[in-house]
Amino acid sequence: MMESGAPLCHTCGEQVGHDANGDLFVACHECNYHICKSCFEYEIKEGRKVCLRCGSPYDENLLDDVEKKGSGNQSTMASHLNNSPDVGIHARHISSVSTVDSEMNDEYGNPIWKNRVESWKDKKNKKKKSNTKPETEPAQVPPEQQMEEKPSAEASEPLSIVYPIPRNKLTPYRAVIIMRLIILGLFFHYRITNPVDSAFGLWLTSVICEIWFAFSWVLDQFPKWKPVNRETFIERLSARYEREGEPSQLAAVDFFVSTVDPLKEPPLITANTVLSILAVDYPVDKVSCYVSDDGAAMLTFESLVETAEFARKWVPFCKKFSIEPRAPEFYFSQKIDYLKDKVQPSFVKERRAMKRDYEEYKVRVNALVAKAQKTPDEGWIMQDGTPWPGNNTRDHPGMIQVFLGNTGARDIEGNELPRLVYVSREKRPGYQHHKKAGAENALVRVSAVLTNAPYILNLDCDHYVNNSKAVREAMCILMDPQVGRDVCYVQFPQRFDGIDRSDRYANRNIVFFDVNMKGLDGIQGPMYVGTGCVFNRQALYGYGPPSMPRLRKGKESSSCFSCCCPTKKKPAQDPAEVYRDAKREDLNAAIFNLTEIDNYDEYERSMLISQLSFEKTFGLSSVFIESTLMENGGVPESANSSTLIKEAIHVIGCGFEEKTEWGKEIGWIYGSVTEDILSGFKMHCRGWRSIYCMPVRPAFKGSAPINLSDRLHQVLRWALGSVEIFFSRHCPFWYGYGGGRLKWLQRLAYINTIVYPFTSLPLIAYCTIPAVCLLTGKFIIPTLSNLASMLFLGLFISIIVTAVLELRWSGVSIEDLWRNEQFWVIGGVSAHLFAVFQGFLKMLAGIDTNFTVTAKAADDTEFGELYMVKWTTLLIPPTTLLIINIVGVVAGFSDALNKGYEAWGPLFGKVFFAFWVILHLYPFLKGLMGRQNRTPTIVVLWSVLLASVFSLVWVKINPFVNKVDSTLAGETCISIDC
C-alpha cells in the first residue's frame, strides 16, 4: 500500500542507495545484509573485510573500488552517522494487524490509540524541527545512541564476531560431499541396471530403501554446507551499556519456567532452576522470573514460597563469592576443591552455613512433597483456612502471586531481588488448553502486562542456569545494532548432567548440537529446540524483521504472518479501499510498517492502527495491546500495580485466545507436540534469522532420561510431533514460499526434521533383509565385477571420509558419532516406527493412541536408572530384529558347514550385513539385559514369538536343504535297474 524505497542501512539507518550501474547497492551477496556504501567503505577502512552478519568475505571488486578512493570517505561516514535518523537499538518496524474492516469509534478511537497517534505526531514534529535548527546548535541524539557519543575503543568494537570454519577444513569437506554424490549416482546406476532375478523381491526392496537413505542423507548433509563459529565479548557489552555511575542500559529479560505435575517433576529440581535464575549475573531490576504451574498444584505454590524465602540468603551468597553454578543442588554436589581461587577468609564459614541452610530448606520441601502424596478427600486447604482454588486441576480460576521484586521482600543484606511470579492459567471444561504451548503463550501475556521486557528466555523446569553470564552472552548478539535487528532468538545448546561417560543411548545429542546446529547458524540460524532460548518479544508477536520489504501503494501485501501465497495485484486506489478489499482466504492479517504511517493523514493512520484490528489479533485487553506498541519494553509509569494484576488475571483466562491469532500466527504455535520446531519455523518464514551461541562454559544444563524405556518414549514424542507437522498446513514442503524469505538450505533442514520418522519404514525393512538372506540362501547383490567392487569400495570410503572431516571441523569425538549412529537405528526401528503409525491413525481415524511407560523405582546408586527397564511396546520391534538376525547368522553358518567350502564366500556378505544390524542394536541389547538379566518377560515372549513365526514362514517357503525336483527323481528311479 505504500511507495517502496531503498532498504535502510542496518548501521546508520539511511537508505542503502544504488551503485554506479543504478542497481541497489549490495555489499554481501551471500546474505544480502543491508548496509549503505558509506558504512561499507568505513568498515573496509577499519580493516573489517567480511560481512557483519554471515562472515563471508566481501566481493573483491568492491574492495578494489574502496581502496582506489583512499581514506577521504571516513569523514563522509562520520557525518553520515551524525545525521542518522531516530533508530533505537531495540526499535523495530512493528506492524498493525487487521482481520476485518477498521471502524472508528470517534475521532481517534480509544484514548490509548489517541495517545499513541499524538506521540507519533510529536515525534514527526521533533524530526522536522531538528532539520530546521541552525548549524551551530548540536543535533539531538536518540537516547539509544547517547551512550556512544564518546565511546571507548572497547565499547565501539562489535559485541560478537563470526569465525568461519578454516578453508583447509571446510573445502575438503565440501569436495568429499560432491564426490560422494557422484559415487551415489554411479552406485544406483549399477544397482538398478543389475537386478538379482533369483531374489527380485529382496533386490527391489533393498534398492528402494537405499534410494530413501540417500535422499535422507542429502536432507541432513547439505544444511551443514556452511558451518560457522561465533565468539561474544561480554566486556565490550559492559563497556557500552554499563558505565560507572550511570543506570544500566542493558535490556530487561523475562524468564519463563514451565512445570505441570510436581510428583513427576520434583519441586526441588524446579526450585533449583528458579534459584539459578534469581542469582544470574545481571542487573536485578532487569530480571523477572515467571513460573507456570499448569497443574495448579498447591505443592508447587508452597515450594515457591519456601524458595522465595531461601533466595533471600542464596542470591547474595552467589554474587558475593561469584560461585558457579548458581543452582545449590548442583553447586554443593560438585566433586571439586571449592577452596580453589576463593581468597576471602569468610568464604569457608559462610559456605558451611549456606550448605546447612540449604539442607534445612530441602527438608522442608521434601516434607511438602511427602505430604502431597495423598490428596485429602475435602481437597487442599491454604493456611488462611480457604480451599485451594486449584483443587480441580481441570476447572479452576487463574492465579497469580508475586513473591519478590521491587515491591516484595529484599535479601538479608537489604538489596533488591529479581521479581518472582507464580502463574497458573485458568482452565475450564470445554476449552482447548494446548498443553505447554498454551502455557507459554499465557506467560507471554502475563509478562507483557506486568514487566514487558523486550526479551524472553524460556527454560524447562529441569534446566538450570549453569553459566551466570549466559544472559549477557545472548545480549552481545541481541543488543548489537549491527547484528541483532533481524534476530528473532538466540539458541543455546543443551547440555545434561547425570549421564554416564559411555552415553550408550546418545542422550547428549552431541552430533545434533555441535554439528547440525553449527551448520544452520551459517545459513538462516538454528532451530528452536524448546529450552535455553532467548526470544525477541516482537518476533513472538508475529511481526516481521525490520529489513522486511516495504509494501507498495495500491497493491496488496502478502502477509508477514502466513508467508504462504502472494495475493493478487489490484490497480492503485484509495488506501482505505485497498485495506477493506484485501483477500483473506490464506491471509489472517495485513501488515503495515509503522514507520510508513507518517505518509498518511490522521484519519488514515487511525484506520490502520484501530483498536478493533488489534483486538481481533491480540485479544480484548487494551493494556496488553498497548504493551505490544512499546518499542523498548517496560510498563507505563502511571500504571497501577493492582490494576495490572487484575489485567494479568484477565489475559490468562481460558477464553481469551478465542477468535484471535494466538497459537495460529502469534506466540508458540499450536498443532504439534513439538511446538518448538513449528514456532521457530514460522519465524524463519517471516524473514527472521536466529543465532547459535556456544559459550565455553555451558549456559544451561538439564536432566535427561537415561534409561532405555524413558529415552525411547522421549524420542517417540519428538517423532510424533514431526509427523503431525508433516500432515499439517505448516509442512515445509509447501508452506512459506511467499516472499522467498526462507532460504533453501534452511528449508531442507526443516524438511529433514519432519520426514526423518518415515525413515523407520525402509530402515526396519533393511534390517530384516540380512536375516532373510541368511534363512533363504539368497542375496540382494549379484556377483561383483571389478567395476562394481570399486563402486562399493568408493562408497564406503566416502562415507568414512565424510565422517572424519565432519569430526575435524566440529570437534565431536568419534565415540559420540558412533553412539549417534547406533541410536539412529535403535530409535528408527522402535519409536519412529510407532510415531508414524500413530500419526496415520490420528490423521485418518482421529484415534489418539498413547504409548505410555509405567513407573518403577530405580536403584539408589549412581546411574542406577541406566539399568532399569520399564515395560513398553517400543521394545518389541528392535528385540525381534536382534533375535531373527542372530538366528539368521546361526542358520547361515550351519548351511555353509553342510554345503562345504564353496558356500563360505557368499556367506561373508550376508553375515557382514547381519553383524551391521547387531552392532547397531548392541546398546539396546545391553540396556535390555540390564543388571541381573531383569528383562521384562513379556518383551522376551513377544519377541521370540514374532521371530519364530518369521523364521518358520521362511523355512516353509524356502528350507535350507535343496528342493528335489520330482520329475528328475522319477526319471532317476526309472533308470535304475532294480
Side-chain angles (χ1 to χ4, degrees):
M1 289 180 58
M2 321 271 182
E3 289 289 350
S4 64
L8 298 180
C9 173
H10 287 176
T11 300
C12 65
E14 292 290 342
Q15 292 188 349
V16 171
H18 300 82
D19 56 17
N21 299 326
D23 299 326
L24 188 68
F25 178 76
V26 178
C28 178
H29 294 279
E30 292 289 335
C31 64
N32 292 329
Y33 184 65
H34 295 318
I35 181 172
C36 67
K37 199 167 185 179
S38 299
C39 295
F40 172 73
E41 292 174 355
Y42 180 80
E43 291 294 322
I44 300 304
K45 299 300 181 184
E46 291 294 317
R48 294 187 282 269
K49 298 185 179 181
V50 295
C51 177
L52 295 171
R53 168 185 282 181
C54 66
S56 301
Y58 288 129
D59 188 0
E60 294 293 339
N61 295 329
L62 293 176
L63 296 178
D64 294 339
D65 293 340
V66 174
E67 291 175 356
K68 292 178 181 178
K69 289 187 176 182
S71 59
N73 288 338
Q74 291 186 6
S75 58
T76 306
M77 176 62 192
S79 61
H80 193 81
L81 288 175
N82 291 334
N83 295 328
S84 61
D86 188 10
V87 179
I89 292 174
H90 306 300
R92 77 282 187 274
H93 295 195
I94 66 171
S95 311
S96 61
V97 201
S98 176
T99 55
V100 295
D101 296 345
S102 298
E103 296 180 2
M104 295 297 298
N105 297 327
D106 49 33
E107 182 181 2
Y108 291 111
N110 189 283
I112 292 179
W113 314 110
K114 180 178 179 180
N115 295 336
R116 191 64 186 171
V117 171
E118 292 296 334
S119 66
W120 281 326
K121 292 171 67 176
D122 294 340
K123 180 178 178 180
K124 186 174 180 181
N125 294 335
K126 289 180 180 178
K127 189 174 180 181
K128 290 181 179 179
K129 291 179 181 179
S130 63
N131 294 333
T132 58
K133 286 183 179 181
E135 296 181 0
T136 57
E137 184 178 349
Q140 293 185 359
V141 182
E144 295 83 354
Q145 296 181 9
Q146 289 179 0
M147 295 289 295
E148 303 180 18
E149 288 180 350
K150 297 180 180 179
S152 63
E154 189 176 35
S156 61
E157 294 178 350
L159 303 179
S160 64
I161 192 170
V162 177
Y163 286 113
I165 304 297
R167 290 189 177 183
N168 61 347
K169 294 181 179 180
L170 196 57
T171 301
Y173 177 66
R174 292 174 174 174
V176 171
I177 292 176
I178 300 299
M179 188 181 302
R180 184 170 169 181
L181 272 180
I182 297 173
I183 295 175
L184 276 174
L186 297 174
F187 171 78
F188 284 122
H189 178 267
Y190 168 79
R191 292 283 281 136
I192 294 172
T193 56
N194 291 271
V196 182
D197 297 328
S198 60
F200 186 79
L202 291 177
W203 168 84
L204 183 61
T205 302
S206 65
V207 170
I208 293 174
C209 294
E210 289 162 2
I211 292 175
W212 178 266
F213 294 150
F215 170 71
S216 178
W217 173 77
V218 169
L219 292 180
D220 181 67
Q221 195 70 53
F222 274 87
K224 297 181 284 190
W225 185 258
K226 190 182 178 183
V228 297
N229 293 318
R230 291 184 186 272
E231 182 179 357
T232 54
F233 304 100
I234 299 178
E235 297 77 10
R236 298 178 185 176
L237 179 76
S238 298
R240 182 176 297 187
Y241 296 108
E242 292 184 298
R243 293 189 176 180
E244 187 176 356
E246 299 179 5
S248 173
Q249 299 298 317
L250 292 174
V253 180
D254 288 338
F255 286 78
F256 292 174
V257 179
S258 300
T259 183
V260 180
D261 188 348
L263 299 181
K264 294 182 180 179
E265 299 167 335
L268 193 60
I269 298 299
T270 304
N272 270 270
T273 300
V274 171
L275 289 169
S276 68
I277 293 173
L278 298 178
V280 293
D281 183 7
Y282 208 70
V284 292
D285 58 323
K286 306 287 185 179
V287 176
S288 300
C289 178
Y290 293 84
V291 180
S292 171
D293 177 19
D294 221 31
M298 186 174 173
L299 172 58
T300 303
F301 179 83
E302 290 183 328
S303 65
L304 274 186
V305 174
E306 295 288 348
T307 303
E309 182 63 26
F310 179 71
R312 299 177 61 242
K313 303 177 183 178
W314 175 251
V315 173
F317 171 76
C318 293
K319 295 186 176 181
K320 181 178 180 180
F321 298 107
S322 301
I323 67 170
E324 296 284 359
R326 299 188 177 181
E329 182 69 25
F330 301 95
Y331 170 69
F332 290 122
S333 63
Q334 290 182 113
K335 297 179 180 180
I336 61 173
D337 181 11
Y338 63 86
L339 296 177
K340 185 179 181 180
D341 299 330
K342 301 298 180 183
V343 295
Q344 297 91 332
S346 61
F347 173 69
V348 176
K349 181 179 179 181
E350 291 193 32
R351 185 186 186 277
R352 289 174 180 171
M354 184 55 60
K355 187 174 183 180
R356 184 170 55 252
D357 290 340
Y358 177 65
E359 293 298 332
E360 294 174 356
Y361 161 75
K362 286 175 63 176
V363 170
R364 294 193 298 271
V365 174
N366 289 332
L368 294 174
V369 174
K371 178 183 175 182
Q373 295 297 320
K374 185 178 180 180
T375 305
D377 296 335
E378 66 278 7
W380 298 108
I381 304 297
M382 294 189 291
Q383 292 183 358
D384 59 358
T386 58
W388 172 248
N391 278 324
N392 187 342
T393 58
R394 298 184 179 180
D395 187 3
H396 64 83
M399 295 177 283
I400 295 177
Q401 176 66 47
V402 180
F403 290 107
L404 303 174
N406 53 0
T407 59
R410 295 176 175 264
D411 65 24
I412 57 176
E413 297 179 357
N415 298 320
E416 183 179 343
L417 287 169
R419 182 173 301 193
L420 175 61
V421 184
Y422 169 86
V423 179
S424 181
R425 58 183 173 139
E426 180 186 18
K427 287 189 176 182
R428 302 296 181 189
Y431 287 91
Q432 282 286 345
H433 301 296
H434 304 289
K435 300 181 180 178
K436 180 181 177 180
E440 295 286 350
N441 284 338
L443 289 182
V444 172
R445 297 191 293 272
V446 168
S447 63
V449 172
L450 297 181
T451 51
N452 196 32
Y455 300 108
I456 293 171
L457 195 160
N458 82 298
L459 292 172
D460 289 342
C461 63
D462 60 344
H463 276 69
Y464 64 92
V465 181
N466 183 64
N467 183 349
S468 62
K469 298 183 183 295
V471 183
R472 294 179 180 270
E473 298 275 358
M475 291 302 114
C476 285
I477 296 168
L478 293 169
M479 295 188 68
D480 192 331
Q482 298 177 341
V483 179
R485 288 169 57 86
D486 291 345
V487 176
C488 55
Y489 59 82
V490 174
Q491 178 67 61
F492 291 89
Q494 292 186 18
R495 301 293 189 235
F496 301 97
D497 288 318
I499 302 176
D500 66 323
R501 293 184 61 184
S502 63
D503 191 18
R504 67 173 64 161
Y505 308 130
N507 279 289
R508 293 188 176 93
N509 283 330
I510 294 295
V511 174
F512 174 75
F513 286 113
D514 288 16
V515 180
N516 296 56
M517 298 286 268
K518 277 187 180 181
L520 292 176
D521 197 16
I523 311 172
Q524 198 171 345
M527 301 172 184
Y528 169 43
V529 295
T531 184
C533 188
V534 185
F535 285 95
N536 182 335
R537 187 182 284 269
Q538 301 307 318
L540 285 172
Y541 288 158
Y543 298 122
S547 61
M548 187 176 68
R550 297 189 179 189
L551 306 173
R552 292 184 177 273
K553 187 174 182 179
K555 296 181 181 180
E556 288 186 16
S557 66
S558 61
S559 171
C560 153
F561 284 161
S562 76
C563 297
C564 238
C565 305
T567 54
K568 296 181 180 179
K569 297 181 179 179
K570 293 184 178 181
Q573 51 181 308
D574 181 76
E577 294 179 4
V578 175
Y579 178 75
R580 286 193 295 267
D581 298 337
K583 289 182 63 177
R584 292 179 177 85
E585 289 85 5
D586 296 319
L587 306 179
N588 293 318
I591 305 302
F592 306 95
N593 287 329
L594 290 182
T595 54
E596 297 183 352
I597 294 180
D598 288 337
N599 298 330
Y600 287 84
D601 59 27
E602 283 74 15
Y603 174 79
E604 293 168 328
R605 185 184 304 123
S606 301
M607 292 261 311
L608 295 180
I609 62 172
S610 68
Q611 180 179 6
L612 182 60
S613 65
F614 272 97
E615 289 178 348
K616 288 294 183 180
T617 302
F618 293 111
L620 299 173
S621 172
S622 299
V623 176
F624 173 74
I625 294 172
E626 175 68 6
S627 72
T628 66
L629 298 175
M630 301 183 70
E631 297 180 351
N632 299 324
V635 295
E637 295 180 358
S638 58
N640 188 311
S641 59
S642 60
T643 304
L644 292 181
I645 291 292
K646 292 181 181 179
E647 193 66 24
I649 292 289
H650 168 62
V651 298
I652 59 174
C654 55
F656 184 84
E657 294 183 355
E658 287 197 347
K659 298 181 181 180
T660 66
E661 297 301 321
W662 285 102
K664 301 173 186 175
E665 308 296 343
I666 299 173
W668 273 258
I669 307 301
Y670 305 150
S672 172
V673 295
T674 53
E675 71 288 331
D676 46 2
I677 298 293
L678 194 54
S679 302
F681 174 62
K682 294 276 283 188
M683 295 180 193
H684 283 135
C685 284
R686 298 186 188 114
W688 292 95
R689 63 188 306 267
S690 55
I691 297 293
Y692 198 49
C693 185
M694 296 181 65
V696 176
R697 179 180 179 86
F700 310 101
K701 280 190 175 182
S703 304
I706 61 175
N707 68 72
L708 178 61
S709 306
D710 287 350
R711 174 67 165 142
L712 290 178
H713 194 262
Q714 180 191 57
V715 172
L716 169 64
R717 185 176 63 85
W718 292 344
L720 177 60
S722 296
V723 175
E724 289 174 340
I725 296 175
F726 180 84
F727 290 120
S728 72
R729 71 184 185 96
H730 293 118
C731 178
F733 274 110
W734 52 74
Y735 183 86
Y737 283 95
R741 298 184 184 119
L742 187 67
K743 295 190 176 182
W744 279 101
L745 289 180
Q746 192 81 10
R747 185 178 298 278
L748 285 183
Y750 275 110
I751 291 175
N752 186 42
T753 62
I754 65 161
V755 302
Y756 78 88
F758 296 96
T759 305
S760 60
L761 300 175
L763 183 60
I764 199 167
Y766 210 72
C767 290
T768 308
I769 287 176
V772 175
C773 293
L774 288 166
L775 291 172
T776 61
K778 298 176 181 179
F779 200 37
I780 59 176
I781 299 175
T783 304
L784 295 179
S785 62
N786 292 333
L787 177 61
S789 301
M790 293 295 293
L791 283 177
F792 276 92
L793 183 62
L795 182 60
F796 280 115
I797 292 177
S798 66
I799 293 173
I800 294 173
V801 173
T802 304
V804 170
L805 293 177
E806 203 166 82
L807 298 178
R808 187 170 173 235
W809 65 255
S810 65
V812 175
S813 68
I814 191 171
E815 182 183 9
D816 291 323
L817 184 66
W818 174 237
R819 291 300 187 201
N820 182 76
E821 287 295 318
Q822 286 180 314
F823 199 79
W824 173 73
V825 175
I826 295 171
V829 299
S830 56
H832 297 173
L833 181 68
F834 277 74
V836 170
F837 283 112
Q838 187 175 352
F840 274 110
L841 286 174
K842 190 172 183 180
M843 181 193 68
L844 299 177
I847 301 175
D848 191 3
T849 307
N850 292 320
F851 299 96
T852 58
V853 182
T854 58
K856 193 173 183 180
D859 291 341
D860 189 18
T861 58
E862 188 177 12
F863 311 126
E865 290 189 1
L866 183 64
Y867 306 100
M868 180 179 62
V869 177
K870 306 174 184 178
W871 156 242
T872 171
T873 50
L874 300 178
L875 301 176
I876 294 178
T879 307
T880 305
L881 283 176
L882 268 172
I883 293 176
I884 64 173
N885 275 279
I886 293 174
V887 170
V889 170
V890 175
F893 276 104
S894 301
D895 190 38
L897 289 172
N898 292 331
K899 288 184 177 180
Y901 177 78
E902 67 278 359
W904 288 94
L907 177 66
F908 175 76
K910 304 173 188 177
V911 172
F912 173 80
F913 284 110
F915 273 113
W916 181 90
V917 176
I918 294 172
L919 284 175
H920 278 76
L921 292 176
Y922 174 72
F924 175 84
L925 176 63
K926 192 172 181 180
L928 192 66
M929 299 306 294
R931 283 185 179 175
Q932 301 175 0
N933 297 332
R934 295 181 303 169
T935 304
T937 306
I938 191 170
V939 173
V940 177
L941 291 177
W942 270 104
S943 303
V944 171
L945 177 62
L946 291 176
S948 302
V949 171
F950 177 84
S951 303
L952 290 174
V953 168
W954 280 105
V955 169
K956 179 66 177 176
I957 295 175
N958 195 345
F960 300 135
V961 297
N962 292 329
K963 291 183 178 180
V964 180
D965 192 336
S966 59
T967 305
L968 181 61
E971 293 177 354
T972 304
C973 291
I974 292 174
S975 63
I976 297 176
D977 188 0
C978 298

